[in-house]
Amino acid sequence: MGNIVLLDDLTINQIAAGEVIERPANVVKELVENAIDAGSTTITVEIKQGGKSLIKVIDNGKGILREDIPNAIERHATSKIKSVEDLEKTYTMGFRGEALASIASISRLTIISKTEQEELGFKVVTEAGDIIEAEEVGAKVGTTMLVENLFFNTPVRYKFLKQDATEFKFIKDWMQKVALANLNIAFKLINDGKQVFQSNGNGNIRDLIYVLYGKDTSENLIDVDYKEENIHITGVIGNTLMARESRKDQIIFLNKRNIRNQVLTSSADQAFKGGGTGIGKFGFFILNLEMPADFYDINVHPTKMEVRFKNESEIYRVFYHAIKSSILSKDFLGNNEQEEKKKDYVENEFKFLTSHFGRENNNPINRIYGVNSNKKDDLKEGEKRTVTLENENATSQDGQELIKRENQRKVDYVYKGILFRTYIVVEIGDEIYLIDQHAAHERLLYEKIRANYKSNIKTNSQMMLVPEVYDLTHKEIEFVKNNIELFKNIGFDIELFGENSVKINGIPDIDYRVNSKNVFLDTLDEMITNERSTSKDVEERFIATVACKAAVKANMDLTPQEVDNLIQNLLTLKNPYTCPHGRPTTIKFSKDEISKRIN
Ligand SMILES: Nc1ncnc2c1ncn2[C@@H]1O[C@H](COP(=O)(O)OP(=O)(O)OP(=O)(O)O)[C@@H](O)[C@H]1O
Ligand SMILES: [Mg+2]
């Protein structure tokens, strides 16, 4: 009895199926993963013409039994699982039993293989999936797969291939990743007869990084080796010098499989924030997460690049800790913090950060940030405070000067309380100001969002702890599709998700006093209800709408600290007295006016 068996119909139907071979790099991936699954310690890949004419993968794994070879190229035939439940304890790269069948059907595939128990090897040649040759051959234990004339019978796919050099680049990028994940396998990559790189399989990631990225990079890395119960995270992160413009050098492996995952990316962003990287830059990391296979579901997409973690927030937390602990390590900071103290610190900081995510406004942290970071005592009614203003003159809409400002003029104000849970009363000199808390906050947020928008930094979002998926109406989805750049520029990390859903991974990085989840839906609703034409107009209106939806509402109780921050922030604006819609944020009465009306 052979080892490769056909999956039953029920199992077939439960497995994320689909074509995964779009380009030569996909073939290389599938063949190399099979070689890894076969327990190989050396894997050599030879490429010709970007993989279009030849892809050859030679391994020293356990080989395929002669009787199994025809099964290997059968669809849904695999030696790796018997049922979907097996996935909960399966660590192999493959499990669908589809890859070889797909490759065989669109190329000329030659398989030469020998197992330990067989005297001789066996060679099978297939064309478009049909066996055209089969014979005994002399061979070492292991398997050689030869793919020639890829896409010869699928001209459309062939037509979409890029130049050889570009196709080879995809192959090389992927080979480097697979070598970084499998440090105990010696890989060799040869292109048109020339060796491109080689790894020695000695298990040392730094040696390999030296080979792939060079000396500078290898000298600016910090080791990560973090363990918590069943999760073990290892690899390297780059120090501040290694911060990058893109996420290209953020490589994640899950049980050695290269994956993309927003939960982990967001977690890393948070961990790097404020220490690891500058604004708008991305941390460098190559990390493998080792955990029991039943912690996640890999059966999401046929390329197996996506996973669903069963406990996302736990994974988020552990990944955050792994990176942050290394950022705080003595290698990174050059000082000797005590291990225990560091742990507490990371834990506290994590709690602080996560308490910001999408929660309701009932937590004690101030959401309306202060002008300066010095923590002050709570503002008390009747208390006099001072704010320092910049050297510009503030004018109201009708051009009338409201406050004369000289260089760094100081303005004394006295907080008098809040009327109707909505209007903050402030006395400045001989005048009384009534500040509408919603309009004022909206105005501040507008400034901030607009500045973010104009700065063109595409990373002004705060990642959500757990991405949200929303089902939208046809009209809404159309609007999102047509204006996706608008959402992105403003700080929504958003993706279309299936036919009529969107996935929100991040929201504009501003201080929320409302349920931040609703900001997206409320904004969308408002934009659709009042659609207009020109794009400039849409931009402005969009910024204003997000500000409006994210701002504190009337009748919301603010903390004394928030009230003070609001007053100070507002007074320092160039033109604080109207909200983005042109309505006033503030009205004032002078003592004279009042006395005239009373007398
Ligand atoms: N290099 C190899 N060495 C040993 N056995 C192999 C090798 N390549 C393929 N096989 C055998 O052929 C079978 C079919 O391979 P194929 O890649 O089509 O499916 P799979 O790896 O099981 O699943 P997936 O489609 O997810 O890759 C494997 O299950 C394995 O038993
Ligand atoms: Mg496979």
Side-chain angles (χ1 to χ4, degrees):
M1 249 284 281
N3 299 320
I4 304 180
V5 290
L6 268 173
L7 296 170
D8 59 58
D9 281 348
L10 178 68
T11 310
I12 291 171
N13 290 331
Q14 286 171 310
I15 285 189
E19 199 42 73
V20 295
I21 309 295
E22 284 172 7
R23 53 175 15 108
N26 306 133
V27 174
V28 175
K29 172 177 188 284
E30 294 301 332
L31 297 182
V32 170
E33 288 189 345
N34 282 343
I36 294 170
D37 287 346
S40 310
T41 55
T42 67
I43 300 175
T44 299
V45 177
E46 272 180 58
I47 302 298
K48 287 208 171 113
Q49 294 182 303
K52 292 172 196 167
S53 63
L54 174 95
I55 295 167
K56 186 174 180 182
V57 177
I58 309 161
D59 73 48
N60 67 347
K62 65 177 190 239
I64 313 173
L65 284 172
R66 173 194 292 206
E67 60 180 297
D68 268 339
I69 295 180
N71 279 346
I73 53 169
E74 200 62 45
R75 230 168 254 282
H76 311 302
T78 178
S79 58
K80 299 171 191 176
I81 60 165
K82 301 269 182 294
S83 71
V84 170
E85 286 75 49
D86 290 344
L87 285 179
E88 303 229 310
K89 46 182 170 24
T90 299
Y91 295 89
T92 49
M93 298 290 130
F95 57 80
R96 306 177 314 135
E98 289 211 305
L100 278 186
S102 307
I103 295 166
S105 69
I106 47 172
S107 68
R108 176 188 167 97
L109 171 71
T110 304
I111 303 175
I112 303 165
S113 197
K114 185 181 123 50
T115 59
E116 199 124 81
Q117 62 258 50
E118 289 166 317
E119 276 290 298
L120 277 169
F122 202 65
K123 172 175 158 183
V124 168
V125 183
T126 73
E127 227 167 56
D130 300 324
I131 297 179
I132 55 167
E133 247 181 80
E135 58 174 346
E136 280 192 321
V137 288
K140 284 196 244 164
V141 173
T143 305
T144 296
M145 295 274 178
L146 210 84
V147 176
E148 292 163 289
N149 308 335
L150 186 62
F151 301 135
F152 79 97
N153 54 354
T154 51
V156 178
R157 263 188 270 178
Y158 189 88
K159 212 183 85 193
F160 277 106
L161 293 182
K162 304 228 154 52
Q163 289 181 344
D164 294 359
T166 311
E167 291 299 339
F168 181 71
K169 174 124 191 347
F170 290 123
I171 294 173
K172 186 177 141 204
D173 286 351
W174 191 79
M175 282 297 293
Q176 296 192 343
K177 282 185 186 160
V178 86
L180 284 164
N182 295 275
L183 296 163
N184 292 309
I185 300 177
F187 289 93
K188 197 185 276 180
L189 176 63
I190 297 163
N191 184 31
D192 290 326
K194 279 200 251 20
Q195 182 172 307
V196 178
F197 87 88
Q198 183 172 19
S199 72
N200 60 16
N202 72 354
N204 186 332
I205 192 167
R206 282 177 177 264
D207 286 359
L208 183 57
I209 287 177
Y210 191 102
V211 171
L212 300 180
Y213 293 82
K215 185 161 171 281
D216 282 354
T217 300
S218 69
E219 282 173 354
N220 285 301
L221 299 177
I222 298 106
D223 291 316
V224 175
D225 188 344
Y226 185 85
K227 207 167 180 169
E228 236 185 82
E229 297 189 13
N230 284 328
I231 305 175
H232 190 189
I233 301 175
T234 51
V236 292
I237 60 170
N239 64 19
T240 339
L241 296 176
M242 296 290 299
R244 296 296 162 96
E245 304 293 322
S246 81
R247 293 192 184 280
K248 190 170 79 48
D249 292 313
Q250 299 193 330
I251 304 177
I252 305 173
F253 303 110
L254 173 60
N255 290 334
K256 299 189 175 177
R257 184 196 303 282
N258 182 212
I259 57 156
R260 274 190 304 252
N261 184 270
Q262 198 64 51
V263 172
L264 294 173
T265 315
S266 322
S267 167
D269 282 349
Q270 287 298 346
F272 276 105
K273 231 185 207 174
T277 56
I279 293 167
K281 294 235 176 150
F282 299 97
F284 177 108
F285 60 85
I286 302 172
L287 294 170
N288 179 50
L289 293 89
E290 206 179 284
M291 66 179 80
D294 63 350
F295 277 27
Y296 56 86
D297 182 8
I298 189 68
N299 184 22
V300 178
H301 190 268
T303 57
K304 307 173 190 122
M305 279 293 286
E306 274 167 43
V307 293
R308 224 172 265 142
F309 290 109
K310 294 194 181 149
N311 188 344
E312 291 191 326
S313 28
E314 180 63 5
I315 302 292
Y316 181 100
R317 189 185 62 76
V318 177
F319 199 60
Y320 175 90
H321 276 62
I323 296 176
K324 197 74 183 187
S325 308
S326 289
I327 288 177
L328 294 172
S329 72
K330 86 181 206 304
D331 293 344
F332 198 99
L333 296 171
N335 62 10
N336 265 307
E337 258 183 291
Q338 284 166 357
E339 275 307 300
E340 273 312 300
K341 245 171 78 190
K342 196 173 83 191
K343 250 187 165 162
D344 283 351
Y345 178 84
V346 174
E347 184 58 32
N348 286 339
E349 189 170 273
F350 179 78
K351 284 202 185 118
F352 171 79
L353 276 168
T354 49
S355 61
H356 273 69
F357 290 107
R359 299 281 154 81
E360 284 287 324
N361 51 17
N362 52 7
N363 85 51
I365 296 166
N366 281 306
R367 299 299 175 72
I368 300 170
Y369 303 142
V371 184
N372 45 35
S373 52
N374 299 347
K375 202 165 157 32
K376 284 173 273 158
D377 299 334
D378 281 350
L379 184 68
K380 293 180 196 66
E381 277 170 35
E383 192 188 341
K384 185 168 162 184
R385 288 195 168 177
T386 305
V387 62
T388 307
L389 305 177
E390 290 308 312
N391 53 2
E392 250 130 335
N393 289 335
T395 45
S396 73
Q397 264 204 325
D398 53 358
Q400 182 199 351
E401 247 176 47
L402 286 173
I403 302 178
K404 246 229 154 56
R405 297 176 183 182
E406 288 133 25
N407 266 355
Q408 293 265 307
R409 207 188 106 144
K410 293 202 187 317
V411 171
D412 294 330
Y413 64 92
V414 184
Y415 167 63
K416 291 287 187 180
I418 297 186
L419 298 178
F420 315 119
R421 293 170 76 207
T422 302
Y423 305 104
I424 302 166
V425 188
V426 175
E427 189 185 298
I428 301 177
D430 269 353
E431 288 169 334
I432 281 290
Y433 289 76
L434 297 185
I435 302 172
D436 177 325
Q437 65 183 41
H438 168 72
H441 193 212
E442 180 182 2
R443 179 80 175 84
L444 292 172
L445 290 181
Y446 172 80
E447 289 300 325
K448 179 152 190 204
I449 296 169
R450 200 155 174 278
N452 281 349
Y453 191 90
K454 300 284 175 209
S455 76
N456 267 332
I457 299 172
K458 293 270 155 73
T459 52
N460 43 26
S461 50
Q462 46 176 275
M463 293 298 174
M464 316 244 277
L465 190 50
V466 174
E468 293 279 329
V469 174
Y470 298 115
D471 292 332
L472 301 180
T473 63
H474 179 69
K475 200 168 174 197
E476 287 168 335
I477 209 81
E478 281 303 300
F479 183 85
V480 175
K481 269 188 196 159
N482 296 333
N483 296 281
I484 192 118
E485 283 308 310
L486 210 55
F487 283 94
K488 287 187 176 164
N489 287 337
I490 214 166
F492 282 105
D493 187 331
I494 183 173
E495 292 166 45
L496 295 165
F497 199 70
E499 285 277 287
N500 47 19
S501 312
V502 290
K503 185 161 150 232
I504 311 276
N505 305 307
I507 48 182
D509 192 9
I510 46 175
D511 36 325
Y512 294 92
R513 261 304 305 260
V514 295
N515 184 343
S516 52
K517 279 184 205 164
N518 294 344
V519 173
F520 170 75
L521 293 176
D522 290 351
T523 302
L524 186 58
D525 191 52
E526 170 76 29
M527 291 304 289
I528 287 174
T529 324
N530 296 306
E531 266 190 279
R532 270 188 239 165
S533 49
T534 69
S535 74
K536 177 112 198 334
D537 206 34
V538 172
E539 254 174 39
E540 276 299 315
R541 201 161 57 89
F542 192 73
I543 297 171
T545 306
V546 174
C548 176
K549 299 302 175 188
V552 224
K553 307 276 178 286
N555 293 317
M556 262 186 180
D557 289 320
L558 303 183
T559 65
Q561 178 84 58
E562 285 177 325
V563 174
D564 198 29
N565 290 339
L566 204 53
I567 299 172
Q568 295 217 6
N569 273 310
L570 192 72
L571 291 179
T572 39
L573 281 187
K574 278 186 201 165
N575 182 10
Y577 300 102
T578 53
C579 84
H581 297 106
R583 292 193 307 267
T585 59
T586 306
I587 49 173
K588 64 161 187 158
F589 309 95
S590 65
K591 199 174 160 191
D592 276 357
E593 274 171 337
I594 298 172
S595 62
K596 265 182 215 147
R597 291 186 65 172
I598 287 178
N599 294 327

